[in-house]
Amino acid sequence: MSNLAEPESQESFSKQHYPNSRIKQVWAIGGGKGGVGKSLISANMAISLARTGAKVCAVDLDLGCANLHTCLGTEIPQTTLSDFFSRREPDINKVLIETEIPNLSLISGAQDAIGVANLKHTQKSKLLEKLHELDVDYLVLDLGAGTAYNTLDFFLSADVGVLALIPEPTSIENTYRFIKSAYYRKLKLCQSLFEIRPMLDMAMDQKNPLEIRSPADLLREVTRYSPDLGVRLREEIQKFRPKLLINQVRTQADIDIGFSIKSVCKKYFGVNMEYIGYLDYDSAVWQSVRRRRPLILEFPTSKLVGNFERMVHHILQEDKNQKSQLVY
Ligand SMILES: Nc1ncnc2c1ncn2[C@@H]1O[C@H](COP(=O)(O)OP(=O)(O)OP(=O)(O)O)[C@@H](O)[C@H]1O
Ligand SMILES: [Mg+2]
């Protein structure tokens, strides 16, 4: 059970904080920019996951601009997270609705003025606590665009963070911004690195006096200050492994963007991003959205559906491999 009065920390948002939770994994789909396909990806990943037989709840955390229900082919539910946050409906199970897809439920996002930026720490913790009490195996969080702290915190709270982008300069630029912001936010929320918080704040300012211009510089300065903290910092950096997904691909050059971002992140941040795949630009997407039907149900034989299923199986397999490594 979480203590709502405790300060914000990475640990207080993570699954380990909810020992009674039956949830196997939380997946979050984020992206630096609007309209890159986060809701489409969340919906179809949630459906693919539910088709493996797991119980899944898709949660629309794009507060204020919720539209995950449309990608899942449901009407706007009567009760949404607006009711939960305003305490009109404190029981999260009553905010949850079943979809027409077996094993898949939906918690719809707020439709009104409660924007992500306005969500208080206590509301965020309360929501995570209640989500972890749900009787499901997986949560799939559809996040709003951008790098507001609440969005970053939900992204970082997940076991699997998928970063979606499209092959356009603005989206690529925002992806780097998202990675950088999530990276520093993660380190700042880490209790074992509490001592270097002032240095992290300083590192965010490009003109800082310690001349920390990159995460590599930060690691150097922290190690110089305390070799022990340097080791801890390196460990935390290694745990940060967002997955990259390029959507609306048209050419091989578009596909290759994933590999360049991965190598830039390794070089500049020391972060091992995983490029989990790409999705073609396909008219089946807008046709299914227009018909308010999930892509997977409307075009079950399309290449995109195959791609979603491959990615979902890959993520599940990776989790199994990690668990078996822990056993031996
Ligand atoms: N692979 C694709 N091929 C064709 N159109 C696509 C593809 N992916 C997404 N779209 C279209 O792009 C638009 C945006 O998709 P979506 O709403 O999923 O993005 P989003 O990132 O959730 O946006 P927002 O930030 O506004 O929540 C939709 O109209 C969708 O039909
Ligand atoms: Mg969306």
Side-chain angles (χ1 to χ4, degrees), residues 263-282:
S263 81
V264 169
C265 284
K266 176 74 193 149
K267 193 166 156 210
Y268 184 71
F269 291 104
V271 167
N272 282 313
M273 301 255 323
E274 189 193 353
Y275 183 18
I276 52 161
Y278 63 90
L279 299 167
D280 289 318
Y281 181 87
D282 192 330

Side-chain angles (χ1 to χ4, degrees), residues 35 37-40 60 62 65-68 71 142-145:
K38 297 178 295 297
S39 300
L40 170 93
D60 195 338
D62 191 353
C65 298
N67 57 16
L68 185 58
C71 297
D142 176 18
L143 303 182

Side-chain angles (χ1 to χ4, degrees), residues 26-31 61 141 143 149-164 178-179 182 240-243 273:
V26 179
W27 295 12
I29 321 299
L61 286 175
L141 315 180
L143 303 182
Y149 279 167
N150 288 319
T151 305
L152 297 179
D153 292 346
F154 285 126
F155 187 81
L156 293 170
S157 76
D159 305 287
V160 174
V162 176
L163 195 46
F178 186 98
I179 296 167
F240 182 53
R241 291 206 68 191
K243 296 181 191 305
M273 301 255 323

Side-chain angles (χ1 to χ4, degrees), residues 71-111:
C71 297
L72 287 171
T74 68
E75 297 291 320
I76 298 180
Q78 288 291 313
T79 319
T80 70
L81 284 175
S82 293
D83 302 291
F84 176 77
F85 289 129
S86 65
R87 300 196 190 150
R88 276 190 298 271
E89 184 48 80
D91 182 355
I92 196 83
N93 282 292
K94 294 202 176 129
V95 183
L96 177 149
I97 56 153
E98 292 303 329
T99 69
E100 62 169 317
I101 299 123
N103 294 326
L104 181 60
S105 52
L106 166 70
I107 289 183
S108 199
Q111 300 289 337

Side-chain angles (χ1 to χ4, degrees), residues 39-242:
S39 300
L40 170 93
I41 295 165
S42 305
N44 288 284
M45 279 198 163
I47 299 173
S48 295
L49 200 46
R51 283 176 150 198
T52 66
K55 273 186 89 176
V56 182
C57 179
V59 188
D60 195 338
L61 286 175
D62 191 353
L63 306 175
C65 298
N67 57 16
L68 185 58
H69 56 275
T70 309
C71 297
L72 287 171
T74 68
E75 297 291 320
I76 298 180
Q78 288 291 313
T79 319
T80 70
L81 284 175
S82 293
D83 302 291
F84 176 77
F85 289 129
S86 65
R87 300 196 190 150
R88 276 190 298 271
E89 184 48 80
D91 182 355
I92 196 83
N93 282 292
K94 294 202 176 129
V95 183
L96 177 149
I97 56 153
E98 292 303 329
T99 69
E100 62 169 317
I101 299 123
N103 294 326
L104 181 60
S105 52
L106 166 70
I107 289 183
S108 199
Q111 300 289 337
D112 47 31
I114 305 171
V116 191
N118 303 330
L119 211 58
K120 293 191 189 85
H121 167 55
T122 46
Q123 289 174 304
K124 202 163 42 186
S125 300
K126 190 83 196 157
L127 176 64
L128 283 171
E129 184 187 322
K130 292 293 167 195
L131 289 176
H132 276 277
E133 286 171 13
L134 291 176
D135 184 23
V136 296
D137 301 307
Y138 291 90
L139 293 173
V140 176
L141 315 180
D142 176 18
L143 303 182
T147 55
Y149 279 167
N150 288 319
T151 305
L152 297 179
D153 292 346
F154 285 126
F155 187 81
L156 293 170
S157 76
D159 305 287
V160 174
V162 176
L163 195 46
L165 73 145
I166 54 173
E168 283 176 9
T170 45
S171 175
I172 297 168
E173 216 171 286
N174 287 3
T175 299
Y176 284 122
R177 192 166 299 141
F178 186 98
I179 296 167
K180 186 175 173 192
S181 310
Y183 177 93
Y184 281 115
R185 179 76 178 156
K186 176 185 165 62
L187 298 179
K188 225 180 140 185
L189 287 177
C190 181
Q191 272 171 349
S192 67
L193 296 173
F194 197 76
E195 224 181 306
I196 60 159
R197 270 190 171 189
M199 230 184 257
L200 290 168
D201 285 333
M202 210 181 261
M204 289 297 280
D205 174 7
Q206 280 295 309
K207 295 181 182 155
N208 63 78
L210 285 178
E211 296 191 356
I212 300 172
R213 305 281 177 261
S214 71
D217 295 341
L218 174 71
L219 190 58
R220 184 202 62 225
E221 280 307 308
V222 171
T223 308
R224 185 183 302 171
Y225 168 71
S226 153
D228 180 43
L229 280 170
V231 172
R232 262 186 263 165
L233 176 62
R234 199 183 286 270
E235 279 168 7
E236 281 307 315
I237 292 169
Q238 274 163 8
K239 282 192 231 156
F240 182 53
R241 291 206 68 191

